[in-house]
Amino acid sequence: MVKSSDDIVKPKTKRGKRALEQREAKINENAKKALFLRGTKTSEVVSQAMKDWLQLKKPFAISYQKRNEIRPFEDQTSLEFFSKKSDASLFVFGNHTKKRPHNLILGRMYDYHLLDMFELGITQFQALRNFKGIKSTLGCKPCLIFAGEAFETQTDYIRLKHMLLDFFRGPKVDNIRLNGLEHVIHITALKEKILFRCYKVLLKKSGTKTPRVELQEMGPSIDFELRRTKLGSEELLKEARKVPRVLKPKKEKNISHDTFGAKLGRVHIQSQNLSSIQTRKMKALKRKKEKDVASVDAKKAKSAATE
């Protein structure tokens, strides 16, 4: 669909121009921001859980304090409006009803349109403030661990895993130092529950250069149950995952890797005349003259006849 000249927004100030450039499609995407929204009614558990997740997601998080009458599974237009307004591709919506108590709805957008949405019910919750000890640094990149067969076999759990990876992965980095690994998020899928746990990584002395690693639970600790899902089509998912041609690695000819990761190369050369190759001058490699060969053969024949 081609936009008309009336639909194109033209900035009037330099600040507006920078804001529009920030929203434009890029080869290397910005870190995904998450939008936190509240329904008309929320419980204390939902409010505190959203605050803790906001703390884990900072600084790439935007929180709206005003309550909104939104029903995500019936009408997504309000969520898409807030997503475009805040330039956020992820959202967390909290509400609480008699039919679905302590409810969190997680979702992600593609081009400001709904891609995936998951409704999770909180069955057990311990807040971040209830755990004593040192917390992870604000904005640090967490190490995500997924356990459970469902994350590899069931479609709903596979897509939920991808959404959680998008939610917590943070900005893309090329290198990370050992001291920077200070936050671990462990998510386990059981029969009917999803266990969400957060740990602080402690590096202690071991007597060697490599420190001894210990995990200390720092919260929040949440048990979820998967209630409802709304998944985008495979065509839309394929479109959202499309990688620009510039970022695709160039194929190297005649280069391969073995099972241990070693790089192997194959070199093609033209056929060579081996008789003309200069070799090391050794007695054993010298060519014998035809006369010498004939005399040797005659001696061998004479010795064989006398015997």
Side-chain angles (χ1 to χ4, degrees), residues 174-195:
D174 296 326
N175 299 305
I176 188 168
R177 60 191 178 92
L178 183 61
N179 291 335
L181 292 171
E182 54 179 89
H183 184 201
V184 174
I185 298 177
H186 193 281
I187 303 167
T188 308
L190 298 178
K191 291 182 179 180
E192 296 179 355
K193 287 187 178 182
I194 299 169
L195 309 182

Side-chain angles (χ1 to χ4, degrees), residues 96-138:
H96 175 74
T97 61
K98 187 176 181 181
K99 188 177 180 180
R100 293 184 176 87
H102 313 307
N103 212 37
L104 277 184
I105 299 175
L106 314 178
R108 56 179 176 170
M109 301 282 184
Y110 170 67
D111 195 21
Y112 305 117
H113 291 87
L114 184 67
L115 178 61
D116 293 331
M117 188 162 55
F118 303 88
E119 186 177 65
L120 303 175
I122 301 174
T123 58
Q124 182 274 335
F125 173 71
Q126 290 185 26
L128 186 69
R129 63 190 178 192
N130 295 339
F131 292 86
K132 296 181 180 179
I134 303 172
K135 310 299 182 185
S136 62
T137 308
L138 181 66

Side-chain angles (χ1 to χ4, degrees), residues 213-227:
V213 179
E214 291 186 2
L215 296 181
Q216 179 183 350
E217 191 169 4
M218 71 170 199
S221 172
I222 312 174
D223 291 357
F224 291 113
E225 60 176 3
L226 187 60
R227 289 174 177 167

Side-chain angles (χ1 to χ4, degrees), residues 69-98:
E69 191 173 353
I70 302 174
R71 295 180 179 178
F73 281 88
E74 298 175 11
D75 184 15
Q76 297 89 39
T77 53
S78 297
L79 291 173
E80 293 172 354
F81 167 76
F82 285 121
S83 173
K84 190 171 184 178
K85 180 182 177 182
S86 305
D87 190 25
S89 56
L90 303 164
F91 69 87
V92 178
F93 179 78
N95 64 346
H96 175 74
T97 61
K98 187 176 181 181

Side-chain angles (χ1 to χ4, degrees), residues 53 106 118 120 142-153 156-169 184-190 193-197 199 224:
W53 273 42
L106 314 178
F118 303 88
L120 303 175
C143 175
L144 291 162
I145 302 173
F146 291 87
E149 187 180 353
F151 285 126
E152 305 296 332
T153 56
D156 290 350
Y157 283 84
I158 292 172
R159 297 283 280 270
L160 176 61
K161 175 184 175 181
H162 293 164
M163 205 221 68
L164 291 172
L165 282 170
D166 278 348
F167 195 92
F168 289 108
R169 78 171 64 202
V184 174
I185 298 177
H186 193 281
I187 303 167
T188 308
L190 298 178
K193 287 187 178 182
I194 299 169
L195 309 182
F196 182 89
R197 303 289 185 269
Y199 299 92
F224 291 113

